[in-house]
Amino acid sequence: MIEGLAALYIFMLAGFTGYEIISKVPVILHTPLMSGSNFVHGIVLVGAMFALGIAETTTEQIIGFIAVLLGAGNAVGGYVVTERMLEMFKPSKKESSGEGS
Amino acid sequence: MNIIIQASYFIAAALFILGLKQMSSPVTARRGIVWAGAGMVLATLVTFFIPEIIDSDHVSTNLTLIVVAIAVGGGFAWFSGKKVAMTDMPQMIAMYNGMGGGAAATIAAVELLKATREVEAGLASSIPDALGADVTVLAILGALIGTISFSGSIIAWAKLDGRLNTSKLLPKQHFINAIVAIATIGFAVSVYLAGDLTPIIIFFALALILGVFITVPVGGADMPVIISLFNALTGLAVGFEGYVLGNAAMIIAGIVVGSAGSLLTQLMATAMNRSVLNVFFAGVGTGTVAVTDGEQGEMKEIQGQDAGILMAFASQVVIIPGYGMAVAQAQHKVWELTQLLTAKGVMVKFAIHPVAGRMPGHMNVLLAEAGVPYDMIYDMDDINADFKNTTVTLIIGANDVVNPSAKTDTSSPLYGMPILDAMDSDNVIVIKRGRGAGFSGVENPLFFADNTKMLFGDGQKATNELIQAVKEL
């Protein structure tokens, strides 16, 4: 378990990390990066599995089932779409250093 | 076992951050998503071995349910994600994002239900007493944000997919939204204070409605901002529910996405010279589609043959793609044309407006799909000064992003939005399906300018005519 104050530090540091990562991104990667970050919050799947895993009543199982269903959709869909997009990024043959921004 | 699980979550979180970092450069982007994917697989696998799950009274049922849910949800997403055309990418991202928001909200629902059970059984006096005040607050907040992101993303998906064209549900929409928002917050407070089921159900229902109501009035041109915002919101919701469950990987991944997404949303809104609040409360050209024509003079038509010749003898051609190119699937033809022109010694550049298409970078993805190297593609700030040296600017299915009234007409709803200065070039050729106004519903004076010629037709067909013309020379 993460206790209150430690969690607060995690919140803060993670916040700065996200800001740092995206602040130097060329425009051409905005859509793939949005898609990539969309995949990363698919980690919600893990939480959904936990919620369903410890469910004790039928109602909890039904809601937990929906949670896992949705979470898996987020994670898998996010990955497939991002991977397809990034696969297409190739530099031209002559020079591969320019990023256009 | 517990230490292995915790270590795996730690590694997963690190892989997510490293992966995102690599995704921010075109050279390493591909590796980035693979790393993040490895982190996800690791985190998912170890979750099956969490002691609480294995020691649960319903371990076999629950584990079966988990596997079935992953197979069904993941399978659906796998096939839809593989099948979707590159042009429809934005709405798919919106949908997967909505699913994530929904998952976060349902996790909160399960936790709150558990707490009400404890209250009913007399083990706790209230929900905060059962879960702890901090956990309860974050659970409710995550539920609110996640639910709004869920229903809002579904609406965004429906709008982009052409299944929902209305920009208005009710009269005085903004006023009603405010009331629904206040009511939702009211019930969120009562979820905290009361201990039974009724306020929880009403709270979730209201939050669902609020997400729908917020998104429906948003103008189509503002859709990228909304999708990005919902992406950030889902991240936040996931982070909050991560705290509720005591899962550090969820907190880190969620909050990183939350802050990265917020910044991205801000960048996008700035690119359109609008504040994020403005996007919500003043949709551009909402309601009726304004197709007023003829008031600014005549559009001058040009045939594909002549346009092709003009471009073949140009010294520099700048191509501005827009959503019309995506709809017509013309990106491959455009690249073919580019290669032909380059072979004739013409300097060809692509100019991308930050919000061209339905998402930032949407056009880049399509051009990349066709094989256009990314060093031929220029951002707005880099290319705008270069239009003066351009013989022909070819606009394919773009409209609002080259509308000069954004600079000159203070009464225009687009006023203040930075645009590509296509009108500075010697000739402008516009490929356009019909004479109607752009997505925002605003008339474009560029189309009536003296140096502008219209090449009417579907983007793919018109580009084909240009290719034929250049080939025949």
Side-chain angles (χ1 to χ4, degrees):
Chain A
M1 269 312 226
I2 319 306
E3 291 306 321
L5 204 56
L8 212 57
Y9 279 105
I10 298 182
F11 275 118
M12 176 193 71
L13 293 172
F16 281 118
T17 308
Y19 193 91
E20 261 317 293
I21 287 174
I22 207 132
S23 57
K24 293 173 215 115
V25 172
V27 173
I28 79 162
L29 281 170
H30 275 181
T31 294
L33 201 80
M34 188 200 292
S35 178
S37 57
N38 177 40
F39 163 68
V40 167
H41 67 53
I43 188 69
V44 73
L45 170 62
V46 166
M49 288 168 68
F50 183 72
L52 174 54
I54 59 169
E56 282 171 38
T57 66
T58 315
T59 322
E60 286 170 18
Q61 283 174 329
I62 292 172
I63 301 177
F65 184 82
I66 297 173
V68 177
L69 198 78
L70 293 173
N74 183 184
V76 175
Y79 183 85
V80 172
V81 167
T82 311
E83 211 254 345
R84 272 185 62 193
M85 251 188 267
L86 290 177
E87 206 176 344
M88 299 174 318
F89 278 90
K90 296 180 194 82
S92 68
K93 283 150 211 135
K94 44 184 168 42
E95 47 172 13
S96 55
S97 54
E99 286 184 10
S101 67
Chain B
M1 195 63 212
N2 212 14
I3 187 75
I4 299 177
I5 293 169
Q6 292 308 326
S8 304
Y9 283 159
F10 179 83
I11 295 169
L15 283 173
F16 289 154
I17 293 173
L18 287 172
L20 278 175
K21 180 77 207 146
Q22 289 184 313
M23 265 184 257
S24 59
S25 156
V27 185
T28 54
R30 180 77 204 290
R31 203 187 322 149
I33 183 67
V34 175
W35 284 27
M40 192 68 78
V41 171
L42 178 68
T44 311
L45 286 182
V46 297
T47 303
F48 280 104
F49 300 99
I50 290 180
E52 283 105 316
I53 295 182
I54 295 186
D55 299 339
S56 149
D57 296 338
H58 310 274
V59 58
S60 55
T61 325
N62 286 349
L63 280 182
T64 315
L65 284 175
I66 290 176
V67 173
V68 171
I70 292 179
V72 175
F76 155 77
W78 176 271
F79 285 112
S80 58
K82 282 279 178 201
K83 216 178 58 198
V84 62
M86 278 299 151
T87 41
D88 296 336
M89 227 37 129
Q91 54 261 47
M92 285 322 278
I93 296 177
M95 183 196 275
Y96 298 139
N97 175 54
M99 294 175 88
T106 41
I107 290 172
V110 173
E111 290 302 311
L112 292 174
L113 282 183
K114 276 187 194 308
T116 55
R117 226 161 13 90
E118 283 188 36
V119 173
E120 269 172 35
L123 296 169
S125 61
S126 65
I127 295 179
D129 187 35
L131 296 175
D134 51 345
V135 169
T136 312
V137 169
L138 286 186
I140 295 174
L141 259 182
L144 175 64
I145 299 171
T147 310
I148 290 175
S149 172
F150 172 71
S151 57
S153 295
I154 302 292
I155 296 295
W157 168 79
K159 278 191 143 189
L160 286 175
D161 217 40
R163 287 162 203 266
L164 181 74
N165 287 321
T166 176
S167 294
K168 243 194 168 128
L169 272 184
L170 302 162
K172 295 195 178 166
Q173 183 80 58
H174 292 313
F175 178 67
I176 293 173
N177 286 0
I179 291 178
V180 176
I182 292 168
T184 314
I185 293 168
F187 273 94
V189 173
S190 80
V191 170
Y192 184 90
L193 296 175
D196 59 339
L197 209 54
T198 323
I200 298 180
I201 294 172
I202 300 177
F203 161 70
F204 274 105
L206 281 173
L208 274 177
I209 295 172
L210 185 59
V212 173
F213 279 8
I214 287 176
T215 320
V216 165
V218 173
D222 290 332
M223 260 328 162
V225 182
I226 291 302
I227 295 179
S228 174
L229 184 68
F230 284 145
N231 186 42
L233 286 181
T234 303
L236 268 187
V238 171
F240 289 167
E241 298 312 328
Y243 182 82
V244 171
L245 299 176
N247 185 318
M250 273 173 78
I251 298 180
I252 294 171
I255 299 300
V256 164
V257 172
S259 91
S262 306
L263 180 58
L264 189 58
T265 310
Q266 188 62 42
L267 289 176
M268 268 186 241
T270 314
M272 299 197 297
N273 199 32
R274 318 198 54 196
S275 72
V276 175
L277 280 178
N278 208 332
V279 168
F280 279 109
F281 294 113
V284 169
T286 49
T288 52
V289 184
V291 192
T292 50
D293 58 354
E295 59 180 52
Q296 302 182 65
E298 282 291 305
M299 290 186 183
K300 290 165 285 293
E301 241 186 292
I302 190 170
Q303 296 306 314
Q305 182 76 23
D306 301 332
I309 293 170
L310 191 59
M311 288 170 72
F313 290 104
S315 62
Q316 175 161 295
V317 170
V318 174
I319 300 176
I320 302 178
Y323 191 63
M325 182 186 82
V327 172
Q329 294 278 5
Q331 61 270 28
H332 299 281
K333 290 288 172 196
V334 169
W335 173 228
E336 192 183 339
L337 175 67
T338 307
Q339 286 169 308
L340 285 170
L341 289 174
T342 312
K344 290 203 181 294
V346 182
M347 182 75 188
V348 183
K349 291 176 178 172
F350 288 85
I352 310 280
H353 190 274
V355 293
R358 292 291 184 271
M359 275 192 149
H362 189 194
M363 290 300 122
N364 305 83
V365 171
L366 293 180
L367 292 174
E369 183 198 14
V372 179
Y374 57 73
D375 37 21
M376 280 178 87
I377 299 171
Y378 291 83
D379 288 350
M380 179 172 67
D381 295 335
D382 298 324
I383 193 97
N384 258 350
D386 211 17
F387 278 110
K388 284 192 271 302
N389 315 319
T390 302
T391 329
V392 180
T393 298
L394 179 67
I395 300 172
I396 303 178
N399 191 339
D400 296 332
V401 298
V402 291
N403 193 334
S405 64
K407 280 190 165 172
T408 54
D409 181 4
T410 46
S411 67
S412 168
L414 294 174
Y415 183 73
M417 181 176 98
I419 56 161
L420 288 163
D421 297 325
M423 65 280 187
D424 288 349
S425 57
D426 299 344
N427 298 281
V428 179
I429 296 172
V430 181
I431 296 179
K432 202 168 175 310
R433 263 192 302 186
R435 291 168 190 270
F439 203 70
S440 69
V442 180
E443 198 64 61
N444 191 341
L446 176 71
F447 298 165
F448 304 94
D450 287 337
N451 57 344
T452 303
K453 307 276 189 298
M454 306 297 289
L455 178 53
F456 287 114
D458 165 79
Q460 172 127 237
K461 199 176 126 276
T463 315
N464 230 350
E465 288 172 23
L466 292 176
I467 290 171
Q468 289 311 321
V470 176
K471 267 187 183 163
E472 282 165 18
L473 285 174

